[in-house]
Structures are given as C-alpha cells and as structure tokens.
Amino acid sequence: PRTYVDNFGTFQGVGLGPFLPMGGPLWLNLLNGLLCVNPRERLTARLGLQHSALRSVRKRSIELTAASRLQLDGGVRRATAKPSEAELRTRLYLEVLKLDGSE
C-alpha cells in the first residue's frame, strides 16, 4: 500500500479560498479545520460547534442531545463481515425513530 501512495507527486495546495470566495476567513477556517486530513489536527464535532463562525447562527436553546449513543451494530459485536450500506441505513433509520419517539 505504501508504494501506491509514494507514486503520487507532491503538490502545494491552494486551500478552499479560491473555491469559496464568499465564505470569508472565519468560515474558511472552520471548513479547513473540519476537513483537515491529519486526524490529530482535525477539529472534532464538539470544537467545530464552538467555532466563532457559528456564534451568530447557532441556537443552543433549540438544540437536542441524544440520551445515548446510537448502536448501529445492535449492541453486539459480530465476527462476520461488515454490514452492507443498506443494512446500516436501516439500523440508523430505526435508531432515529427511537429518538424521535415514532417507533
């Protein structure tokens, strides 16, 4: 696998600015942080929500926090193959119904 990566050339990036000129520096900083390739430098969702770019548009009074984490594996770790995308979508849908109270 490393040989494959080594075959790519090295290029200097241009950032998101040229592609999103209407964003402004705060929004570009937030997007760059969330899309950072290096996971150690990437913003977490929690830090992203605290970013100053969202200060004027975020309404904490209407935000909801789930009572528990979603369990897409049904709470059971399987030694078999990974579930298909369709299976994961169904599980996610059922979990959302539980949180919504529709189930």
Side-chain angles (χ1 to χ4, degrees):
R2 189 73 197 151
T3 305
Y4 176 75
V5 173
D6 291 337
N7 287 330
F8 287 111
T10 303
F11 302 96
Q12 180 63 41
V14 295
L16 294 172
F19 304 102
L20 301 169
M22 70 301 252
L26 276 178
W27 289 99
L28 289 173
N29 180 271
L30 173 60
L31 284 173
N32 281 323
L34 292 171
L35 298 173
C36 184
V37 175
N38 185 338
R40 291 186 187 113
E41 296 176 12
R42 186 180 313 132
L43 284 179
T44 61
R46 184 179 309 259
L47 287 176
L49 285 170
Q50 294 171 0
H51 194 279
S52 56
L54 297 176
R55 194 170 291 139
S56 66
V57 295
R58 187 173 179 203
K59 295 180 181 163
R60 293 178 185 222
S61 61
I62 62 171
E63 290 180 10
L64 299 175
T65 302
S68 62
R69 290 180 176 253
L70 295 178
Q71 294 292 323
L72 297 180
D73 60 3
V76 177
R77 298 281 179 224
R78 300 187 302 172
T80 60
K82 291 182 180 181
S84 68
E85 181 181 342
E87 198 175 356
L88 284 174
R89 285 178 183 274
T90 300
R91 289 179 190 178
L92 178 60
Y93 176 73
L94 293 173
E95 288 294 326
V96 170
L97 286 180
K98 286 181 195 175
L99 295 174
D100 186 35
S102 301
E103 187 181 39

